Amino acid sequence: MKLSQEEIAGIFDSAALRARLTALTSDSDGDGSDSKVRAAVLAELKTTVKTGRDKVQTLLNEDGGGLSCARRLSFLQDELIRVIYDFALHHVYRVKNPSAAERMAVAAVGGYGRGTLAPGSDIDLLFILPYKQTPWGEQVVEYILYMLWDLGFKVGHATRNIDECIRLARSDMTIRTAVLEARYIWGDEPLYEELVKRFDTEVVEGTSSEFIAAKLEERDERHKRQGMSRYLVEPNIKEGKGGLRDLNTLFWIAKYHYRVNRQSELVKKGVLTRSEYLRFKKTEDFLWAVRCHLHFLAGRPEERLSFDVQREIAIRLGYTQHPGMKDVERFMKHYFLVAKEVGDLTRIICAALEEEHVKEPEGKGISGMVRRLRGSRGSYASKPVEGAPGFVVEHNRLNAASESIFETDPTNLLRVFQISGKNNYNMHPRLTRLIQQSLKLVDSKLRNDPEANRLFLSVLTSRNYPERTIRKMNETGVLGRFVPEFGKVVAMMQFSMYHHYTVDEHLIRSIGVLADIERGNSGDDHPLATDLIRTLQNRKLLYVAMFLHDIAKGRPEDHSIAGARVARKLCPRFGLNEAETGTVAWLIEHHLDMSMIAQSRDLSDRKTITDFAQTVQSLERLKLLLILTVADIRAVGPGVFNGWKGQLLRTLYYATEPHLSGGHTKLSHSQTIRDAKDELSGKIGHWKDKEKKAYLNRHYPAYWLRTEAERLAAHAELFHKADLENRHLAFQVTPRAFEGVTELTIVAPDHPRLLSIIAGSCYSTGANIVDAQIDTTTDGFALDTVFIGRELPDDEDELRRGERITRLIETALRGEERLPEPVTKKGTVKGRMKAFKVASEVLINNSLSDVYTVLEITGLDRPGLLYDLTRCIATLNLNIGSAHISTFGEKVVDVIYVTDLTGQKIANIGRQEIIRERLVNAVEGQVELDPAAPVARKGQRQAS
């Protein structure tokens, strides 16, 4: 589509520019080959380009038109190349009587060939020659290219005669695509026309199946590289699934097969309806607007819509904040809905291609190609689906026997997915299109139809890959219509580094993870969940709770509480009875509890376990909550669930289970301690009796109650060896591959700054502490166990890494050297962090533990945060009992159990205020190391 004069006004005045450039050659009789003239020409062109691009950016900010911006930039580039070309011909390499070989055409190829450019796009050019290259042609091409390079453009180029273009286009699909999109810019137009004509007859004709297969395969490979989901929260706008490249691929296929030059011609060909064509244009315009803003903002060809630019792009595009949703979240929701539109258009065009070739014999042509790509088998003839009148299957793809199948019986809009999922049928694109055209039939009557709800529940709880069917139901729009509450979270993103996918994609993936656990496919990740799911009394409750657990995201209130309310409304509609509804609602209301307690509470503290047991109240609920928690975390994104989190969840489960099953919890503390000591005595039988007796009296009761038998033995041997060698410092490094952590055990004389020095040593070496347990002995020693995130795959390498850290801890404790400057890591994460704001908060709680005051510290994660917190706590004269570190993307929650130096809780309100103030400052990087320093009150802080 050509731009109007009004749309390009003020961008580039080629006539005026030509006059100015010609004037630069007036002193040399029109000869522009002199280097001084070239420098002046370059300066003039730079000014013109900058003025033109600034004008394009201004127009983008004013009218918001993405395609208009891309076309204006293409227009500017066209005019620039024409001016340079003419200057080279008339003032630099002048030929009075050009021979037949001294002709040339300049064509745009690639994205530039489509007449669209982003601010940072490459400029792809094809210089077309009639015969072989001549010295004149070589010089002109060189002049144009060097001028463009000196102007700062990244230019891709090829110089070929027509025969070479045809020969290479036949053998190389990339070159074929480039020539397909070639667009005449300047020079000898008959040369360009000859190329187009020969390309059409000698390359394109009769090869559409080959081209389409190659392009679809290329698209699939690209999706694998970028991430198979179109709902990644930091999408690549060009190469990602549902991005501009997918739209390009569609048009390449349509242009190649239908021989059209504009998308509007696809309506005349019957491929797209008028409304579908308008959707195509609308999605393309939106994606181009985002891409152009992104390039202008970054000042480079940036294609990833990362967190640090999303908010600024949202503001530029005019999005505002609504209750429960930030401006950036509303923008990204629009983006993901557009990405979904691209997927819909892909299916529509593929369906049209198949429809046209449906009668090709013996699986040849496009129909055969698509079947081969999908791996379908069987004969071509369609067969009725047994027990499902009105549906047929052909090549393992479900189709409707009649266009009126849904109007006749709207419940078929649910039945179609039940049949597809049960029999592993793919959906025929024609059927998908018919479903989308029938969405208006999903009304209140159908939503409350018992049979429709039975069918939906059958799909959701299927033992046969329910994720795949539920995703298809979502992509066609049926799911959001049938469950309107789900429709509200479709394409919704949460502006957070913790979440990798949109809310709807996370919910669908969590169903898939749950099904994997039930099939036993994730035993290595969480064997307990795999064992427990087989013992459930009602698996249906788990799937319904999983489907609904985040359904209230994006509302002003707590999504767990609001989600429980939604569940109480929906579950009876799905056919659940009152007791089942109550259980589902409870699971949703408490779906974050187990994860939070496991990662941020001292699991060896009896009160943690008894409080949790009182919340859960039944063993069946505990099982359901454990499995739900595992699936939820694993569905957040790759790498979020790890062995350490799994170990914490198992520990919490096993500690809580006896409280709910009437088991051995009645065992007294004294009996538990005696049993632990007796078991250890058997393992250290080779010690002298005097040594054994002294060691068994060396620890306080809490240590015996909360430490596993394996660690009791390891600690005993570590102390024993240190005593024999008369050493006051001892270290042990234990890699734990399954949990994904490495355990560092440190024995040292007790000191309030001990954990601070350990944290500082880990920070200096780039190690990430995920948990810490602190114990003290009756003779004044500290036994600190620190768990750091594993970084190396091999245990021996990880052992050496741990030993390097413990050597640094030892030299720092001995005072032999100061802690070195920290190893800088994850620079990209640091940059992305700037996009987020997390309020620093410190909660002080004396009711969570019988022994300790619990400090819950929340803030923006950063390297060295735990080091700063522990230094601050040491300055405040507090003893640390344990530290539990949880990160949720950009947000960190550190929970530290402390007492004062006499072992008492912090009860004084004034002292609590000082602790809160100092720790909030430490979170923000202002560590006060003077215990006598005054504390600013809230009023003073606000005044400053």
Side-chain angles (χ1 to χ4, degrees):
M1 189 178 83
K2 292 189 74 173
L3 293 165
S4 66
Q5 285 302 311
E6 188 180 340
E7 288 177 298
I8 57 176
I11 294 174
F12 198 103
D13 187 341
S14 57
L17 179 61
R18 288 172 198 274
R20 292 197 299 275
L21 297 186
T22 300
L24 294 174
T25 67
S26 59
D27 293 342
S28 53
D29 194 26
D31 184 2
S33 59
D34 182 76
S35 59
K36 287 183 180 178
V37 175
R38 187 189 184 281
V41 168
L42 180 62
E44 190 67 54
L45 292 176
K46 279 186 176 177
T47 303
T48 304
V49 169
K50 185 180 185 309
T51 303
R53 288 170 71 87
D54 287 348
K55 177 67 175 175
V56 171
Q57 187 172 4
T58 301
L59 290 169
L60 173 65
N61 292 332
E62 287 174 0
D63 63 27
L67 270 171
S68 294
C69 178
R71 286 171 180 149
R72 284 169 180 144
L73 287 168
S74 178
F75 160 77
L76 189 155
Q77 198 69 42
D78 288 353
E79 291 297 309
L80 180 68
I81 290 167
R82 286 166 187 155
V83 169
I84 297 171
Y85 180 95
D86 285 348
F87 189 83
L89 251 64
H90 299 304
H91 297 288
V92 184
Y93 301 109
R94 295 181 283 189
V95 181
K96 289 184 179 178
N97 296 306
S99 66
E102 288 172 327
R103 294 184 296 138
M104 181 192 302
V106 185
V109 292
Y112 183 30
R114 290 188 296 276
T116 51
L117 275 180
S121 290
D122 294 358
I123 312 301
D124 294 322
L125 297 174
L126 174 63
F127 296 95
I128 307 165
L129 306 172
Y131 314 112
K132 63 181 182 180
Q133 179 66 284
T134 64
W136 170 85
E138 201 170 316
Q139 289 170 326
V140 172
V141 169
E142 193 175 273
Y143 187 87
I144 295 170
L145 291 176
Y146 274 97
M147 195 63 81
L148 290 171
W149 285 328
D150 289 346
L151 286 167
F153 294 108
K154 188 177 177 184
V155 185
H157 62 96
T159 306
R160 301 187 181 109
N161 62 41
I162 295 174
D163 286 341
E164 287 173 327
C165 289
I166 299 301
R167 178 172 53 80
L168 291 168
R170 282 189 186 129
S171 59
D172 188 311
M173 203 56 73
T174 304
I175 294 173
R176 191 184 302 189
T177 308
V179 178
L180 175 70
E181 295 204 288
R183 177 176 59 85
Y184 172 74
I185 298 178
W186 211 233
D188 192 304
E189 194 165 3
L191 259 183
Y192 167 78
E193 295 292 350
E194 186 184 345
L195 171 63
V196 171
K197 186 178 178 183
R198 286 187 57 188
F199 178 74
D200 199 46
T201 56
E202 296 177 34
V203 179
V204 174
E205 202 169 290
T207 61
S208 61
S209 294
E210 173 194 356
F211 180 80
I212 295 168
K215 287 292 130 187
L216 291 179
E217 192 173 343
E218 187 182 286
R219 180 200 63 179
D220 293 344
E221 285 300 316
R222 178 165 42 80
H223 288 170
K224 283 178 189 172
R225 288 195 305 273
Q226 293 297 326
M228 285 302 289
S229 176
R230 64 174 62 91
Y231 304 111
L232 290 165
V233 292
E234 288 187 293
N236 186 309
I237 197 160
K238 179 184 176 185
E239 303 286 352
K241 194 170 186 178
L244 275 166
R245 183 68 80 207
D246 279 3
L247 277 181
N248 296 344
T249 301
L250 283 185
F251 190 59
W252 290 334
I253 289 170
K255 185 173 184 179
Y256 199 99
H257 179 69
Y258 293 106
R259 313 286 183 90
V260 296
N261 290 313
R262 291 186 299 276
Q263 290 117 321
S264 57
E265 294 175 48
L266 293 174
V267 179
K268 294 174 188 172
K269 296 273 185 179
V271 180
L272 298 176
T273 64
R274 182 73 186 166
S275 66
E276 287 163 351
Y277 162 67
L278 292 174
R279 281 164 60 194
F280 196 117
K281 298 299 294 178
K282 200 172 178 182
T283 58
E284 190 178 25
D285 188 64
F286 175 82
L287 291 172
W288 268 112
V290 175
R291 190 180 182 209
C292 289
H293 275 300
L294 190 55
H295 281 209
F296 277 129
L297 179 64
R300 63 179 190 277
E302 178 59 65
E303 308 297 353
R304 187 166 292 283
L305 205 49
S306 55
F307 288 125
D308 51 332
V309 297
Q310 286 177 7
R311 190 184 296 278
E312 178 59 31
I313 299 287
I315 292 166
R316 289 184 176 212
L317 290 170
Y319 290 88
T320 55
Q321 185 159 326
H322 282 195
M325 281 188 81
K326 300 171 184 170
D327 47 6
V328 64
E329 291 171 342
R330 293 186 62 235
F331 156 55
M332 291 305 294
K333 177 165 185 170
H334 189 182
Y335 174 86
F336 292 119
L337 288 171
V338 164
K340 182 177 175 295
E341 286 275 7
V342 174
D344 292 344
L345 290 164
T346 302
R347 283 187 290 273
I348 288 165
I349 288 179
C350 284
L353 290 166
E354 283 194 81
E355 188 71 27
E356 185 167 327
H357 284 255
V358 78
K359 294 179 182 176
E360 285 278 350
E362 298 177 13
K364 293 181 180 177
I366 292 171
S367 182
M369 174 274 296
V370 175
R371 286 199 296 278
R372 286 195 299 277
L373 279 177
R374 300 185 181 200
S376 303
R377 293 180 176 86
S379 62
Y380 179 77
S382 60
K383 300 172 185 173
V385 177
E386 192 176 337
F391 290 103
V392 295
V393 63
E394 49 192 56
H395 301 291
N396 202 49
R397 289 192 301 172
L398 190 63
N399 206 347
S402 162
E403 294 279 317
S404 61
I405 187 167
F406 300 125
E407 282 191 26
T408 305
D409 183 359
T411 59
N412 281 329
L413 280 164
L414 282 302
R415 187 170 288 108
V416 65
F417 294 101
Q418 195 250 359
I419 296 166
S420 170
K422 181 181 176 183
N423 299 288
N424 287 325
Y425 292 149
N426 292 315
M427 291 267 193
H428 195 289
R430 282 207 309 277
L431 178 61
T432 302
R433 198 173 190 179
L434 184 60
I435 291 169
Q436 291 174 317
Q437 291 168 349
S438 306
L439 289 177
K440 62 182 182 296
L441 298 172
V442 185
D443 54 14
S444 176
K445 184 180 176 184
L446 184 64
R447 288 184 204 111
N448 291 295
D449 184 286
E451 175 63 7
N453 282 283
R454 185 195 68 77
L455 288 165
F456 173 70
L457 204 59
S458 170
V459 169
L460 180 64
T461 60
S462 167
R463 296 182 187 272
N464 198 18
Y465 302 100
E467 176 187 4
R468 191 167 57 196
T469 314
I470 290 286
R471 178 171 285 108
K472 188 69 178 175
M473 194 180 276
N474 188 37
E475 288 180 347
T476 55
V478 170
L479 187 54
R481 296 276 297 207
F482 189 70
V483 186
E485 293 82 0
F486 188 90
K488 291 175 183 175
V489 298
V490 168
M492 180 188 288
M493 70 91 75
Q494 298 156 86
F495 191 59
S496 151
M497 279 170 57
Y498 180 64
H499 298 95
H500 293 230
Y501 304 104
T502 56
V503 177
D504 58 326
E505 178 68 5
H506 166 68
L507 289 173
I508 293 167
R509 281 174 178 261
S510 67
I511 294 293
V513 172
L514 201 55
D516 274 348
I517 292 172
E518 190 170 23
R519 283 193 296 271
N521 292 349
S522 59
D524 291 343
D525 279 343
H526 208 291
L528 179 58
T530 305
D531 291 342
L532 291 178
I533 203 165
R534 299 189 183 107
T535 69
L536 292 179
Q537 294 176 26
N538 191 339
R539 60 184 286 279
K540 172 176 67 178
L541 305 184
L542 190 56
Y543 278 87
V544 174
M546 196 85 256
F547 173 66
L548 297 177
H549 77 274
D550 276 347
I551 204 160
K553 282 279 177 85
R555 304 187 188 201
E557 59 192 307
D558 183 320
H559 80 280
S560 300
I561 295 168
R565 195 165 59 248
V566 171
R568 290 188 189 96
K569 173 188 166 190
L570 284 176
C571 289
R573 201 192 100 186
F574 292 160
L576 274 64
N577 62 35
E578 189 177 344
E580 291 171 333
T581 298
T583 301
V584 170
W586 182 89
L587 283 169
I588 292 167
E589 186 170 341
H590 296 275
H591 76 271
L592 297 175
D593 287 9
M594 197 166 191
S595 170
M596 185 271 291
I597 291 167
Q599 293 181 67
S600 64
R601 295 282 181 265
D602 186 347
L603 301 183
S604 62
D605 189 316
R606 281 286 174 108
K607 194 165 191 312
T608 299
I609 306 304
T610 53
D611 287 353
F612 180 59
Q614 284 174 4
T615 301
V616 178
Q617 295 185 349
S618 82
L619 184 57
E620 188 68 12
R621 276 185 178 180
L622 181 64
K623 292 177 186 178
L624 289 164
L625 190 57
L626 181 281
I627 301 163
L628 185 81
T629 303
V630 171
D632 186 16
I633 298 173
R634 283 187 57 201
V636 166
V640 176
F641 187 88
N642 54 36
W644 176 244
K645 288 178 183 172
Q647 180 60 41
L648 293 173
L649 288 169
R650 282 192 294 279
T651 302
L652 178 56
Y653 177 86
Y654 286 129
T656 310
E657 182 187 33
H659 289 260
L660 302 172
S661 62
H664 52 272
T665 51
K666 294 173 184 174
L667 204 64
S668 69
H669 281 195
S670 56
Q671 184 61 48
T672 303
I673 292 168
R674 277 197 299 275
D675 290 349
K677 287 183 176 181
D678 288 346
E679 187 177 349
L680 179 62
S681 289
K683 292 180 179 177
I684 57 173
H686 55 287
W687 291 17
K688 294 176 182 175
D689 288 342
K690 185 180 178 183
E691 293 170 340
K692 192 189 304 182
K693 186 177 179 181
Y695 184 78
L696 293 176
N697 292 322
R698 198 170 186 174
H699 293 283
Y700 289 106
Y703 171 76
W704 299 103
L705 287 169
R706 69 187 178 193
T707 309
E708 304 96 318
E710 176 198 346
R711 284 196 175 88
L712 287 174
H715 293 165
E717 293 296 350
L718 185 63
F719 271 102
H720 190 236
K721 186 180 179 186
D723 289 343
L724 291 175
E725 296 173 0
N726 198 26
R727 289 189 295 114
H728 291 295
L729 293 175
F731 304 90
Q732 187 173 55
V733 179
T734 312
R736 298 191 179 276
F738 179 70
E739 290 89 349
V741 296
T742 292
E743 183 178 338
L744 309 180
T745 307
I746 300 107
V747 172
D750 193 20
H751 188 278
R753 295 188 183 276
L754 178 59
L755 184 60
S756 175
I757 291 170
I758 293 169
S761 301
C762 290
Y763 170 44
S764 296
T765 54
N768 179 37
I769 297 177
V770 296
D771 208 357
Q773 185 68 55
I774 289 87
D775 286 290
T776 52
T777 63
T778 55
D779 57 349
F781 276 82
L783 173 62
D784 288 4
T785 305
V786 175
F787 299 90
I788 59 173
R790 185 183 177 98
E791 289 202 348
L792 303 168
D794 188 74
D795 272 358
E796 289 187 16
D797 292 337
E798 191 64 23
L799 183 64
R800 281 192 288 272
R801 172 175 169 257
E803 288 170 346
R804 190 173 72 250
I805 296 168
T806 56
R807 281 196 298 273
L808 179 58
I809 295 170
E810 184 172 6
T811 55
L813 287 173
R814 291 185 189 281
E816 294 172 3
E817 63 177 78
R818 295 187 65 179
L819 291 174
E821 285 299 307
V823 176
T824 55
K825 291 175 64 184
K826 300 182 181 176
T828 53
V829 172
K830 191 176 178 184
R832 291 158 77 209
M833 289 288 190
K834 294 175 186 174
F836 300 97
K837 291 177 183 174
V838 178
S840 302
E841 184 181 33
V842 176
L843 301 177
I844 300 175
N845 195 312
N846 277 321
S847 64
L848 294 174
S849 171
D850 290 331
V851 179
Y852 295 99
T853 293
V854 179
L855 308 177
E856 185 171 317
I857 303 156
T858 305
L860 186 67
D861 193 19
R862 60 177 173 83
L865 176 59
L866 184 63
Y867 178 42
D868 285 347
L869 292 175
T870 51
R871 284 194 297 161
C872 181
I873 287 169
T875 303
L876 289 163
N877 293 320
L878 299 174
N879 272 334
I880 297 176
S882 64
H884 310 275
I885 295 89
S886 308
T887 53
F888 304 92
E890 75 284 355
K891 180 181 177 181
V892 67
V893 180
D894 288 353
V895 177
I896 302 176
Y897 284 60
V898 298
T899 64
D900 64 17
L901 296 182
T902 65
Q904 301 299 309
K905 290 185 179 184
I906 315 302
N908 183 281
I909 301 298
R911 192 169 184 205
Q912 286 184 6
E913 183 62 30
I914 292 170
I915 292 168
R916 186 179 289 110
E917 181 80 22
R918 292 275 179 84
L919 287 174
V920 165
N921 289 340
V923 172
E924 293 167 0
Q926 301 160 18
V927 184
E928 178 55 68
L929 298 178
D930 179 3
V935 175
R937 298 298 171 197
K938 287 179 183 177
Q940 293 173 295
R941 284 208 315 272
Q942 288 164 357
S944 63

